[in-house]
Amino acid sequence: MHKELGIGFGAALIIFLAVSGYNIGPLILLAVVAGALYYLMRVKGLVKNFAVSEGGGGNPISFTDVGGQAAAIKELSEALDFIKNYRFIRHLGIRPIKGILLTGPPGTGKTMLARAAAGYTDAIFASASGSEFVEMYAGVGAQRVRKLFQSAREEAQKATKSNAIVFIDEIDVLGGRRGKVTNHLEYDQTLNQLLVEMDGIKVDDAVNLLVIAATNRADLLDPALLRPGRFDRQVRVELPDRDGRLEIIRLHTRNKPLAKDVDLAAIARETFGFSGAHLESLANEAAILAMREHLEVISHRHFVESVEKVLLGNRLDRRPTQEELQRVAVHETGHALLSESARPGSVTALTVTPRGNALGYFRQKTEDDKYLYTQEQLENQLSVLLAGAVAEEIALGSRSTGATNDFDQAVGIAETIVRAGMSELGVVSVEELPDDIRHQVISRVLKVQEERVKEYLATRRGLLVRVADRVLSEERLSGEEFRALLQESA
Ligand code: ADP
Ligand code: MG
Ligand code: ZN
């Protein structure tokens, strides 16, 4: 459409200039050159070549090179085992996995995992980044997608490999919600082409093709990408916890001479919020400092200095203060204590770990899937939700905004209690209750539980603080470790 308009306009201009007695020779030449360029870009896809390599690249990476990502590696390799066993899959008529989406913050090892996946499945690795598909010219992006898939297939056949992995980094750039991200049609065409390619993958293709994509903004993706038969596996790649950071620092100091005084565990403790990439750069900076001092080995102080350097250099924004982390530990411990009191054995994990927007979390066994909840169960759920804020108040003297989400959920449960006729009002139609009455009765339901939680935690303040301190220093307690602490203190 734009093309026709442009040509029409250009022609009109040339005729106008010719009529006005202007020398149009150079202009016509310009038009021809522009046309040729356009043809090249449009039809030849800008002569773009993608990186295609065998078994994850010249510098092969294996899962053992990726530290602190045990859970992600387990999930990923389970999915990959499907591909390795494709004969069975075919035989049993199972729908093959076509796409795996790696989601998580930058520098956590998503690209490494994709490369390792290629090594693991003995696959050709063809990679591109979402931004490489974005062009000014309509159709170029779509063409590049087609070419990427095509070259993955061809290279695999050339290398007589039965597997090929197409890796698309920053998929959010091209896979954003259609018609929403920009007013640019280009994105839509590119995304459509990707969907077409994925839908075209068949069980009996000569080359088994798997698409792995990475993003740190899964929330931006077009839902069409997440449908079954497309990216139907999602693997979260989180920032590493303390033990994970230790593993990663060990990996990146494998080839470096360390002085006797180096305490990598201490460095791991001091680097809350660091990604794998930050830790790699930390180890590198430490070595550079040692080199500047003409030393043969890297000392502990070099690492300590580098922590500061990496922090400054990377503007690790939103790095929480020690006080904030302590508050989070207290908050989560509050949840956990009430959960354990209502349902012994229910706490499965308790952490201060950056995850999404939260700085910590506590996990409990879900109650077996229920159709019905008794009043007691609902009230227990309420008490667990309220315990975070109450714990902050009891241990630290004040509450924080960290409980907002808890309260939203608590209000929902309180409403259910009223709706189910379990409140002081008995059986009522919640819709027909005047606003102020509804508000009052919900507040009272919450208040009763809040008082109960306050009493419970106030008599256990010492325990609350002790457990929170331990969570803070360990960053993570398992359910068993948590219960052992309770036993000790009993
Ligand atoms: P992402 O794709 O998640 O942004 P990358 O895989 O590109 O992260 O990681 C960039 C670099 O950071 C890697 O080359 C590696 O040196 C280091 N790195 C990141 N995560 C890890 C990890 N989990 N273990 C070891 N090194 C890591
Ligand atoms: Mg990457
Ligand atoms: Zn909470």
Side-chain angles (χ1 to χ4, degrees):
M1 236 171 63
H2 299 268
K3 188 171 62 173
E4 278 79 7
L5 249 174
I7 289 175
F9 184 71
L13 184 72
I14 288 174
I15 291 169
F16 170 72
L17 290 174
V19 169
S20 332
Y22 195 86
N23 176 10
I24 57 167
L27 264 180
I28 288 180
L29 188 70
L30 203 72
V32 169
V33 170
L37 256 176
Y38 184 82
Y39 172 81
L40 258 182
M41 288 178 174
R42 175 81 205 242
V43 181
K44 298 285 179 202
L46 253 183
V47 206
K48 176 91 192 164
N49 277 316
F50 294 102
V52 180
S53 59
E54 282 179 39
N59 199 358
I61 285 182
S62 89
F63 285 135
T64 52
D65 297 316
V66 187
Q69 294 294 353
I73 291 173
K74 181 163 175 286
E75 270 179 68
L76 182 58
S77 53
E78 269 168 19
L80 295 173
D81 286 339
F82 265 87
I83 310 211
K84 286 180 121 176
N85 299 327
Y86 73 97
R87 265 182 259 277
F88 288 109
I89 305 278
R90 233 177 251 193
H91 179 70
L92 293 172
I94 297 171
R95 176 159 53 74
I97 295 175
K98 294 181 178 177
I100 300 176
L101 184 64
L102 305 174
T103 64
T108 45
K110 297 183 292 298
T111 305
M112 289 182 94
L113 285 170
R115 299 180 82 91
Y120 186 74
T121 52
D122 187 29
I124 280 288
F125 187 73
S127 71
S129 171
S131 51
E132 290 178 54
F133 296 106
V134 179
E135 280 296 332
M136 308 266 288
Y137 301 98
V140 173
Q143 193 142 4
R144 283 185 182 169
V145 169
R146 210 173 304 133
K147 201 165 164 203
L148 178 64
F149 278 76
Q150 193 190 343
S151 55
R153 283 199 176 89
E154 283 169 6
E155 292 298 320
Q157 269 168 334
K158 251 191 247 165
T160 62
K161 301 219 177 210
S162 48
N163 298 323
I165 286 180
V166 169
F167 176 58
I168 303 178
D169 208 352
E170 301 176 32
I171 193 171
D172 43 298
V173 175
L174 75 90
R177 283 159 202 278
R178 275 174 291 189
K180 210 171 179 189
V181 173
T182 54
N183 48 12
H184 217 292
L185 275 172
E186 168 67 354
Y187 293 93
D188 293 4
Q189 286 190 25
T190 310
L191 175 56
N192 283 337
Q193 187 60 38
L194 176 63
L195 297 178
V196 166
E197 295 290 344
M198 290 188 79
D199 291 345
I201 298 175
K202 300 264 162 16
V203 216
D204 42 12
D205 287 343
V207 174
N208 298 306
L209 218 121
L210 172 72
V211 187
I212 299 183
T215 178
N216 49 6
R217 295 301 310 270
D219 53 317
L220 291 183
L221 292 185
D222 193 296
L225 274 171
L226 305 176
R227 252 177 243 146
R230 290 172 183 166
F231 290 102
D232 42 12
R233 289 287 159 106
Q234 266 201 44
V235 176
R236 297 275 313 150
V237 186
E238 307 282 1
L239 285 174
D241 58 14
R242 200 189 60 182
D243 293 340
R245 294 197 298 274
L246 180 56
E247 222 179 296
I248 297 172
I249 302 178
R250 286 217 175 101
L251 284 171
H252 287 289
T253 49
R254 268 188 305 202
N255 58 355
K256 297 184 172 64
L258 301 183
K260 289 239 161 14
D261 72 333
V262 172
D263 182 354
L264 293 182
I267 302 297
R269 267 199 304 278
E270 297 303 313
T271 45
F272 184 92
F274 276 43
S275 68
H278 291 134
L279 294 168
E280 190 275 336
S281 122
L282 168 73
N284 197 48
E285 286 294 335
I288 290 174
L289 287 179
M291 186 192 71
R292 289 222 179 104
E293 298 176 16
H294 307 289
L295 296 174
E296 300 276 308
V297 291
I298 311 169
S299 295
H300 192 71
R301 64 191 164 84
H302 295 131
F303 283 96
V304 174
E305 264 180 65
S306 304
V307 171
E308 298 303 315
K309 233 176 147 185
V310 172
L311 279 175
L312 283 173
N314 289 285
R315 288 190 301 110
L316 261 181
D317 44 15
R318 292 200 302 118
R319 191 166 189 259
T321 63
Q322 200 58 24
E323 286 88 84
E324 282 174 313
L325 289 180
Q326 192 199 4
R327 185 173 282 279
V328 172
V330 164
H331 178 105
E332 303 303 334
T333 304
H335 286 313
L337 286 174
L338 264 290
S339 171
E340 200 62 24
S341 116
R343 288 192 297 138
S346 61
V347 174
T348 57
L350 186 56
T351 73
V352 281
T353 304
R355 180 147 302 186
N357 289 323
L359 292 178
Y361 63 87
F362 116 93
R363 218 179 260 144
Q364 56 182 161
K365 279 198 192 101
T366 43
E367 289 175 81
D368 304 329
D369 249 348
K370 282 195 193 311
Y371 292 107
L372 298 172
Y373 287 97
T374 63
Q375 178 163 3
E376 195 193 349
Q377 284 161 345
L378 290 174
E379 287 174 353
N380 282 338
Q381 286 179 5
L382 272 186
S383 70
V384 174
L385 283 169
L386 297 174
V390 173
E392 288 182 49
E393 189 177 304
I394 286 176
L396 305 169
S398 65
R399 297 185 173 192
S400 71
T401 53
T404 322
N405 189 29
D406 295 339
F407 290 160
D408 287 347
Q409 285 186 52
V411 169
I413 293 180
E415 237 175 55
T416 306
I417 289 179
V418 176
R419 210 174 281 278
M422 295 168 179
S423 75
E424 60 191 42
L425 297 180
V427 180
V428 285
S429 156
V430 176
E431 278 69 33
E432 280 164 36
L433 277 181
D435 276 353
D436 54 335
I437 305 258
R438 188 168 79 188
H439 177 76
Q440 272 171 24
V441 66
I442 286 176
S443 313
R444 268 204 291 277
V445 168
L446 291 171
K447 197 83 201 152
V448 171
Q449 293 313 314
E450 193 182 335
E451 289 307 319
R452 182 158 79 100
V453 173
K454 266 189 190 158
E455 217 179 285
Y456 186 85
L457 289 179
T459 55
R460 289 167 181 78
R461 188 173 185 278
L463 177 66
L464 171 64
V465 172
R466 244 189 333 276
V467 176
D469 281 349
R470 185 69 80 89
V471 174
L472 191 59
S473 66
E474 299 289 321
E475 275 188 37
R476 183 193 163 86
L477 290 184
S478 68
E480 288 69 44
E481 289 164 336
F482 170 66
R483 278 180 286 281
L485 262 183
L486 299 191
Q487 289 288 315
E488 259 172 50
S489 313

